[in-house]
Amino acid sequence: AGALAALYLAQRNCNVVLVEKAPIDKDAMGTTVGPRTYNILLAKRSLLALEGAGVKLGDDESIMITHIVRYRKGAKKFMAFPAHVPWSRTINRGSLAGLLVRACEAYAGGKQQGSGSIKLRTGYSLSQLDVAARKATFAPVGADSSSQGQGQAGGEPFTLTYDLIIGADGTFSRLRQVLSEDAGVKASPEGPLTFTQEQDTMMYKPFTLASLQGLSIPLENVGSKFVVLADPKRNHSLFIFPTKDGVHRGTYLMPDGDHASHKSESDYVASLSDSFPVLNQAQLREIAAQLPGTPASSGGFNTRCSRLHAPGALLIGDAAHAMWPSLGQGASSALEDCAVLGKLLGPGPVSKAQLEALPAAFSAARHADVVAAVDLTEAGFGGKMQRTRAASPINLHMARFIGQMLLSKALPFLVPKPALMTLNDTTTPYTVVQHRVERQRVGGNIVLGGLALLAAYGVARAVMP
């Protein structure tokens, strides 16, 4: 999100310094497995945001997803949900970062006539901030206790005077923390900037898989399908993406503590065999062999901020609204933040007065929407509410969803498809999706209640003399 925001600003004649904690391999194609190299799913809202800054994902960097396919333990077949072609693509996280950095390099030193410039500084993190004076000091990562992340300590701290500082520095945003503690921000008419965070109880480990051929339930054209294998009772899931290098890349998601209880490859083989019998023995062993020595990473945090701005500063992406991966909206919503910035600024060139007004305008335009996105992840597939219901004998959440989906296929002119299915194929605001989800929940409960009453009436008639 930081690199994309830099592009939107530079294209409007702003001079930008893009500071990144970690070095970015601009030529990376995502062949390395690690906590930060997993694949992400990009939908219409994020692809339009990229295109708005002149970044178009092609077949060289990404894969078009035609279907999202789900297998639930014990099922006789896969359940396939058509993706919104061509607005559904998967790309490795590192590959997307490299692509955006290459786009930013085109603006180094003001190379683009009629535009601003972008200067990239890697290996640094925000150390100190003077909100009143609009001065930010950055220190080498690892050289300062306030600089979070991994990197090599080297170089000297530097200080910048800014008109606008944008925090796209992740879930544990240093800028957000500083703004929340600043006395001037606390004393502002809008009051303090506060935030809450809730950690996901799920942990994941990444893996690669050479092939999805040979499943006990055949699956065709796996090179264009995002595959989810689920064991709801144990809350174990595999998320498997196709990649440009021909190898499937995935993550194995378990409740906190379960990975720690798996000490050996044989432990993982046993667990995978129990939860995902659709995999063959070679696939089970291939995945299990990679897991014992791999550290487990958190599924993430849900972050809610009281607002997204302070004088001369604003927050985007995970710094503003980190969310669990249950609906796959983290990257899409972060990139969409940048499109909102671009829309608010207009075609440019941008004046200092516009930059001064931008933080409050962005917060007003975006805050309710991103809070709704975070709320939706708690009710979505794999979210907190769904996890507590999954092991129940009667899963009303899933029953409502499947019922809505079947009715929408049978009566498309009368019944809309489940609102959660519109997240990845529309630019409809998250607040609107949230309203529709709630309306469908109430309607679904009424329908299920009516069916229960009819069933009870039928039973009573059957047993009465």
Side-chain angles (χ1 to χ4, degrees), residues 276-306:
F276 315 113
V278 70
L279 296 172
N280 62 44
Q281 286 299 309
Q283 292 164 337
L284 294 171
R285 290 193 296 270
E286 183 182 355
I287 295 172
Q290 303 169 54
L291 301 176
T294 302
S297 299
S298 169
F301 286 76
N302 275 342
T303 301
R304 295 176 176 85
C305 297
S306 59

Side-chain angles (χ1 to χ4, degrees), residues 400 436-449:
R400 283 194 301 265
R436 290 174 180 172
V437 166
E438 177 60 21
R439 189 171 58 193
Q440 290 178 0
R441 183 189 69 81
V442 173
N445 284 345
I446 293 173
V447 171
L448 290 173

Side-chain angles (χ1 to χ4, degrees), residues 30-112:
T31 56
T32 303
V33 176
R36 297 182 64 82
T37 63
Y38 51 81
N39 272 48
I40 54 178
L41 189 65
L42 299 181
K44 186 173 183 178
R45 60 180 78 240
S46 51
L47 294 174
L48 288 176
L50 289 166
E51 290 185 10
V55 180
K56 186 173 178 61
L57 293 188
D59 292 336
D60 290 339
E61 305 89 9
S62 63
I63 293 177
M64 186 187 302
I65 297 296
T66 61
H67 291 83
I68 299 172
V69 180
R70 189 174 188 269
Y71 170 80
R72 181 186 174 104
K73 181 183 176 181
K76 302 297 184 182
K77 62 180 182 179
F78 285 95
M79 184 178 290
F81 303 96
H84 190 63
V85 176
W87 298 107
S88 184
R89 286 189 169 270
T90 181
I91 186 171
N92 183 269
R93 190 180 189 276
S95 298
L96 179 60
L99 180 69
L100 288 169
V101 167
R102 291 196 298 273
C104 287
E105 285 185 336
Y107 292 86
K111 294 178 183 178
Q112 299 290 329

